[in-house]
Amino acid sequence: MAAAVKTLISGVFVILFCLLFGFCQSLFRGDTFKRQVTMELNPGSTGPHLGVNLLHIRAVGRNDTLHFLFCNQGAPTLLLVHTNVSSSIVTVNWTLFLARNTSGSLKIEPESSVLYSTAVVFSRLWEYNDLNDTADPTSGFFPPYELQDFIWSPLNLSDMTALLCGANATSISGSICFQLSVFEMGGRGLSWPHLLHTANSSQVKVWLDGMLPRANNSRFLLELQAVSESYPLSRVEVHQSIDDEYTPSVFKVFQWVSAPNSISDILGFVQWKPVAYRHSNPSLEDAMPCRHSDPHPQNSEAMAASSGVIRAFYSQLKPFGLNVSFGLAGDPFYINTKFLSWTVLVGIGSPPTDSFSPVVITIMAIGLGTPLVLVLLGGMWVCMRKRTMESTMTYEPIN
Ligand SMILES: *[C@@H]1O[C@H](CO)[C@@H](O)[C@H](O)[C@H]1NC(C)=O
Ligand SMILES: *[C@@H]1O[C@H](CO)[C@@H](O)[C@H](O)[C@H]1NC(C)=O
Ligand SMILES: *[C@@H]1O[C@H](CO)[C@@H](O)[C@H](O)[C@H]1NC(C)=O
Ligand SMILES: *[C@@H]1O[C@H](CO)[C@@H](O)[C@H](O)[C@H]1NC(C)=O
Ligand SMILES: *[C@@H]1O[C@H](CO)[C@@H](O)[C@H](O)[C@H]1NC(C)=O
Ligand SMILES: *[C@@H]1O[C@H](CO)[C@@H](O)[C@H](O)[C@H]1NC(C)=O
Ligand SMILES: *[C@@H]1O[C@H](CO)[C@@H](O)[C@H](O)[C@H]1NC(C)=O
Ligand SMILES: *[C@@H]1O[C@H](CO)[C@@H](O)[C@H](O)[C@H]1NC(C)=O
Ligand SMILES: *[C@@H]1O[C@H](CO)[C@@H](O)[C@H](O)[C@H]1NC(C)=O
Ligand SMILES: *[C@@H]1O[C@H](CO)[C@@H](O)[C@H](O)[C@H]1NC(C)=O
C-alpha cells in the first residue's frame, strides 16, 4: 500500500517536473548559438564616397562568418554572404563601386571560403485605386514608385540596427523607411509581430509614413526580388504558426526559400507573418492581413542595374520576384492612417520555427496540471482512507 502511495506521489512529481521543464525550456528556447557582431561603415574607403553609405556587418560564429551588406545606393538591398572561416573579409574597390557599372568591385575574401550568398532587393512600391473595395490587385494601378530612384538618407546606425529612409524627389511629404536589425543570438523582435529570430538571421522592418496616396481608395503592394548565383529563392512554403501573445490571431508563417531540391536543406530564406500594421504604435485593431504572389523569374540585367550592391557583387544572377499586398476587402484604406508597416526575416540555413510560448505553456500547465493533481490527490486520499479502515479492521479483534 505504502508503495502505491509512493508511486502516486512520485508520479505527481514527475508530471510537475515535466511541466516546469517545458516552461523553462520555452523561456530559454535551448538556442544557445551566438555570434560576435561588429559593424563597419564604408569598409576600406579613403576618398570621398559621394554620399554613398555601405554598411558591412560581420557576425562571426565558431568556424564561420556571416557578412551582411546594406547600402543606400539604388534600391534598398540586403546582401548576405556565408563563409566557412572566421577570418573572411570584405574588400571594395571604391572607384569601381561608385561607378556602378562593373561586377567584382565588392568581394568577400578568400573567395574559396564562400558557402552561399543571397540578397533581397526592395525594388518597387505599387499603388492601386481599389474603387470597389475588392482588394483585388489586378487593375487600377498607378505608375509604380521605383525605389532605385528615391533620394535616400545617410544610414542612421545605432546598436545593432541601421535605419534607411527615402522619398521620391517630387513628393513633398512622407517617406518609406527600412530598419535592419542583426542579432548576436536567438530571441524575439521587440515590436509586433515579434518575429522569432536566430543568430543566423536579420530582420528588416519596412514602413510607409505620411506618404500621400494618389487616390482615396489606394492600397499598396511591395515588390521584393531575391537574388542568388546558384540556388535562387524560388518557392514559398507555408507553415502553421501558433496563436499566442506575440502575434494574436495570426495562424500562418510564410517562408520564401532556396533549396537545390525539395528534400535537401534550405540554404537561405525570407520569412514573414501575413500581417501588417496601420499605426506606428499598433494595437490589435491596427493589424491587417497581407497576401503574396507566386515567385517568378525576373530580368537579371534590370535587377543588377537597380542596385549598386547587386551589380558590384554578382557577375551572374538568378533573380526571382514576388509582390506582397496589404489589406483585404473591407479593411480601412491607407489614407485613414497614412501609415503601414511590415516585417521580414532574412537569413541562411533553416528558418526559425515557433514553439509554444511561456504563456501558452503556463496555461496548459494550469489547465492540464490542476485536474491531474486533484485526481492524484483524490486517489491518494481514497487509498489512505482505505488503509486506515483496513488497519482499524485488522486491529479490532485484538481489542
Ligand atoms: C573549427 O576548425 C578547427 C580547425 O580548423 C577545428 O579544430 C575545430 O574543431 C572546428 N570547430 C568547430 C566547432 O567546428
Ligand atoms: C580599382 O580598379 C581599378 C580598375 O580595375 C584599378 O585601376 C585600381 O587600381 C583598383 N583600385 C584598387 C585600390 O585596387
Ligand atoms: C563605367 O562608367 C565609367 C564612367 O562612369 C566609364 O568610363 C567606363 O567605361 C564604364 N565601364 C564599363 C565597363 O561600362
Ligand atoms: C570551405 O569550403 C570550401 C568550398 O566548399 C572548401 O574548399 C574549403 O576546404 C572549406 N574550408 C574549411 C576551412 O572548411
Ligand atoms: C466597380 O464596380 C462597377 C459596377 O459594379 C464596375 O462597373 C466597375 O468596372 C468596377 N471597377 C473596378 C475597378 O473594378
Ligand atoms: C537616428 O535614429 C534615432 C533613433 O533610432 C533618432 O533618434 C535620430 O534622430 C536619428 N538621426 C537622424 C539624423 O535621423
Ligand atoms: C517620382 O519622381 C519622379 C521624378 O523624380 C517623377 O517623374 C515621378 O512621377 C515621381 N513618382 C511619383 C509616383 O510621384
Ligand atoms: C547557425 O549556423 C551555424 C553554421 O551553419 C550552425 O552551426 C548553427 O546551428 C545555426 N544556428 C541556428 C540557431 O540555426
Ligand atoms: C477624397 O476624399 C476627400 C474628403 O473625403 C474629398 O474631398 C475628395 O474629393 C476625395 N477625392 C476623390 C478623388 O474622390
Ligand atoms: C507586382 O505587381 C505588378 C502589378 O500587377 C506587376 O506588374 C509586377 O510584375 C508584379 N511583380 C512581381 C515580381 O510579380
Side-chain angles (χ1 to χ4, degrees):
M1 215 54 214
V5 172
K6 258 190 200 159
T7 318
L8 273 176
I9 292 176
S10 51
V12 170
F13 274 108
V14 165
I15 287 159
L16 286 178
F17 179 76
C18 286
L19 289 172
L20 193 70
F21 180 75
F23 179 73
C24 292
Q25 209 189 20
S26 78
L27 268 186
F28 302 111
R29 302 227 129 262
D31 174 10
T32 51
F33 183 75
K34 265 190 140 174
R35 289 186 182 275
Q36 226 172 17
V37 178
T38 50
M39 292 170 105
E40 173 188 23
L41 196 60
N42 297 334
S45 158
T46 47
H49 29 78
L50 312 174
V52 170
N53 282 181
L54 175 65
L55 174 66
H56 171 221
I57 301 171
R58 280 185 98 216
V60 182
R62 278 184 297 263
N63 270 353
D64 71 336
T65 307
L66 258 178
H67 298 271
F68 298 91
L69 290 135
F70 191 55
C71 187
N72 69 347
Q73 190 186 32
T77 304
L78 173 64
L79 170 66
L80 252 80
V81 186
H82 188 210
T83 68
N84 61 2
V85 293
S86 53
S87 57
S88 51
I89 53 160
V90 166
T91 57
V92 183
N93 180 327
W94 278 92
T95 321
L96 294 179
F97 185 75
L98 295 174
R100 268 185 79 170
N101 60 3
T102 41
S103 74
S105 59
L106 171 64
K107 283 189 186 137
I108 304 288
E109 287 180 331
E111 279 177 276
S112 65
S113 69
V114 174
L115 296 174
Y116 181 70
S117 72
T118 190
V120 178
V121 180
F122 298 89
S123 48
R124 289 185 187 92
L125 182 67
W126 293 87
E127 179 181 359
Y128 67 103
N129 188 358
D130 187 10
L131 259 181
N132 295 342
D133 193 10
T134 51
D136 174 27
T138 50
S139 63
F141 277 97
F142 292 104
Y145 290 103
E146 299 282 347
L147 296 184
Q148 60 171 315
D149 296 334
F150 272 33
I151 310 288
W152 297 102
S153 63
L155 291 177
N156 182 350
L157 305 183
S158 51
D159 186 34
M160 303 282 193
T161 66
L163 178 65
L164 174 65
C165 290
N168 192 15
T170 55
S171 71
I172 322 124
S173 62
S175 57
I176 181 169
C177 293
F178 295 82
Q179 187 187 45
L180 169 70
S181 309
V182 288
F183 313 102
E184 280 183 331
M185 56 189 293
R188 289 232 177 230
L190 291 178
S191 61
W192 278 7
H194 301 294
L195 292 183
L196 190 65
H197 58 247
T198 68
N200 291 342
S201 55
S202 59
Q203 182 181 288
V204 181
K205 180 177 171 183
V206 189
W207 67 92
L208 285 183
D209 190 3
M211 267 174 68
L212 290 178
R214 285 171 277 185
N216 284 348
N217 287 14
S218 275
R219 294 191 194 276
F220 285 92
L221 279 75
L222 184 64
E223 186 180 279
L224 276 73
Q225 316 237 4
V227 178
S228 184
E229 212 156 26
S230 40
Y231 301 110
L233 273 65
S234 53
R235 63 168 207 269
V236 177
E237 298 177 341
V238 53
H239 289 262
Q240 298 305 312
S241 93
I242 298 149
D243 176 35
D244 58 15
E245 74 275 22
Y246 297 118
T247 33
S249 66
V250 176
F251 300 97
K252 285 195 169 105
V253 55
F254 291 100
Q255 49 203 42
W256 184 13
V257 298
S258 144
N261 56 59
S262 57
I263 49 161
S264 63
D265 288 341
I266 290 172
L267 298 170
F269 65 87
V270 176
Q271 189 191 54
W272 67 88
K273 285 193 172 182
V275 60
Y277 297 93
R278 283 190 300 264
H279 271 287
S280 57
N281 209 343
S283 62
L284 195 53
E285 308 83 70
D286 302 317
M288 186 166 70
C290 31
R291 293 169 294 170
H292 64 273
S293 61
D294 288 332
H296 283 297
Q298 303 287 305
N299 180 312
S300 57
E301 190 38 50
M303 174 79 281
S306 75
S307 161
V309 170
I310 300 290
R311 168 69 86 209
F313 184 75
Y314 287 106
S315 53
Q316 51 172 37
L317 45 128
K318 286 185 188 152
F320 271 72
L322 59 73
N323 281 326
V324 177
S325 65
F326 305 104
L328 304 179
D331 282 328
F333 296 110
Y334 169 79
I335 200 165
N336 284 286
T337 54
K338 298 197 192 72
F339 186 92
L340 188 64
S341 82
W342 181 66
T343 306
V344 284
L345 209 65
V346 183
I348 54 121
S350 307
T353 48
D354 255 326
S355 64
F356 291 111
S357 77
V359 167
V360 172
I361 300 250
T362 313
I363 291 168
M364 284 198 327
I366 294 168
L368 292 176
T370 315
L372 212 69
V373 168
L374 286 180
V375 164
L376 288 173
L377 286 179
M380 270 159 65
W381 183 76
V382 167
C383 280
M384 305 239 289
R385 232 190 106 94
K386 223 172 141 193
R387 209 181 149 205
T388 331
M389 275 164 70
E390 267 169 14
S391 51
T392 329
M393 264 150 67
T394 340
Y395 289 120
E396 226 165 23
I398 299 171
N399 276 353

